[in-house]
Every structure is written in structure tokens, then in C-alpha cells.
Amino acid sequence: MLFRSLPILKEIRDAEDKEDNVRNSRYLFMTFAPASTYSCWDIMKKINDIVKWKWVKKYLYVVEQRFDGIPNEKYKEVGQGHHIHLLVDKGDYKPSHIKREIKKRFEAIVCNIDYKFIKDCDLLKTQNYMLGDKKDDYKKLRQVQDKIFREKEGLAEYYGETWD
């Protein structure tokens, strides 16, 4: 009976090791989705403060929106559902400290913040996704509107540096 459970324990250990490798990655991908009452400029001001912190070794961020060109109940025009994707090289700074500092910075702003650790091997894939390499046809429709939105707001295609 004991020998039959060993493969299951190995699977659990392997899964934990894999999770630790991701959690210990130096790269962190964050998405900031503010309430509609805040402009993209309000959020960018906060992001620009964050990227100056000493633990940020390198960063890249893009401003996107969720309107796909076809008005619906939730998004009726370009620019609605704006959000920011931020990819940072955090070095060996602890994720719990990062989350605490960001939470403090965003206390006054209603904003959903999603954190994902990125493995080294997925860094360029994540960067390319941010810069427009989308597979989903629905997201490709949004990219056209993203470009219109950025031009209208005077936003750059991206901010920071790319990884090559």
C-alpha cells in the first residue's frame, strides 16, 4: 500500500517545486484594472511612481482598453475598460513586500490588481503578448481600438524598456 502512494507524493513534490520556481522568479507581471471613475492618467501616475522604486531593475508597461469596436452593454466606446499591464524585473525582492507597497500606494484608488510570476523561459512570450502578439481573435479586435485609444489620449505604444 505504501509503495502505491509514492508516485502520488512525487507528483505533489514536483508540483510544489514547479510552483516555487515560478514564485521565486525575478519577473512579475501585474495588471491594474481601475474603476471607471479613474482615468488612465491617474493610474499611470501611480505606475510611474512604482517603477522608480529601488527593487525595480527593469520594467515595461502598456495601457490597453477593453472595447472591441462593437458597442455592448458593458463597453460602448473606445477607451472604456482601460487597464495597464506592467512587467518588472524585481530582482530578489520579496513578492509579499511588493504587494504590501503597491497596496499602500493604491489605497485611495479602487483598482483590481492581479499578480503573476513569470518564469524566465516565459519572459519574452509575456513581453510579446503585451506588445501585441495576441492569439485570440477577440483580443485582436481590441488591439485596433487600443491603437485608436492611445492616439486619442496621446499615449505611447509602451513605456520602459523591452527585453531582447
Side-chain angles (χ1 to χ4, degrees), residues 17-59:
D17 288 346
K18 185 177 179 184
E19 189 176 310
D20 283 343
N21 286 340
V22 173
R23 193 177 296 134
N24 292 325
S25 170
R26 56 183 300 131
Y27 304 106
L28 182 59
F29 179 69
M30 296 171 272
T31 301
F32 296 81
S36 60
T37 53
Y38 301 100
S39 75
C40 62
W41 294 103
D42 294 332
I43 305 307
M44 285 176 64
K45 193 185 254 185
K46 299 285 186 190
I47 300 292
N48 286 329
D49 287 342
I50 290 169
V51 299
K52 293 176 189 169
W53 291 346
K54 66 182 178 187
W55 56 265
V56 176
K57 310 298 181 214
K58 188 173 183 177
Y59 70 91

Side-chain angles (χ1 to χ4, degrees), residues 28-35 38-40 42-44 46-48 50-51 53 55 60-66 81-88 98-99 101-103 105-106 109-115:
L28 182 59
F29 179 69
M30 296 171 272
T31 301
F32 296 81
Y38 301 100
S39 75
C40 62
D42 294 332
I43 305 307
M44 285 176 64
K46 299 285 186 190
I47 300 292
N48 286 329
I50 290 169
V51 299
W53 291 346
W55 56 265
L60 174 72
Y61 76 85
V62 296
V63 182
E64 295 181 344
Q65 51 87 62
R66 290 193 166 83
H82 59 274
H83 56 283
I84 293 176
H85 294 301
L86 171 64
L87 178 61
V88 297
I98 292 170
K99 289 179 179 181
E101 289 178 19
I102 289 175
K103 184 178 178 184
R105 184 76 62 194
F106 278 84
I109 292 182
V110 177
C111 188
N112 182 35
I113 305 170
D114 182 49
Y115 301 87

Side-chain angles (χ1 to χ4, degrees), residues 8 16-17 20-21 31 49-50 55 94 100 106 119-120 134 137 145 154:
I8 292 170
E16 287 173 348
D17 288 346
D20 283 343
N21 286 340
T31 301
D49 287 342
I50 290 169
W55 56 265
K94 292 185 180 202
R100 184 181 60 229
F106 278 84
K119 295 183 282 187
D120 294 2
K134 312 279 199 253
D137 288 338
Q145 300 303 319

Side-chain angles (χ1 to χ4, degrees), residues 3-20:
F3 293 110
R4 288 185 184 188
S5 65
L6 288 178
I8 292 170
L9 293 174
K10 182 180 179 343
E11 285 178 33
I12 292 169
R13 260 195 314 273
D14 289 347
E16 287 173 348
D17 288 346
K18 185 177 179 184
E19 189 176 310
D20 283 343

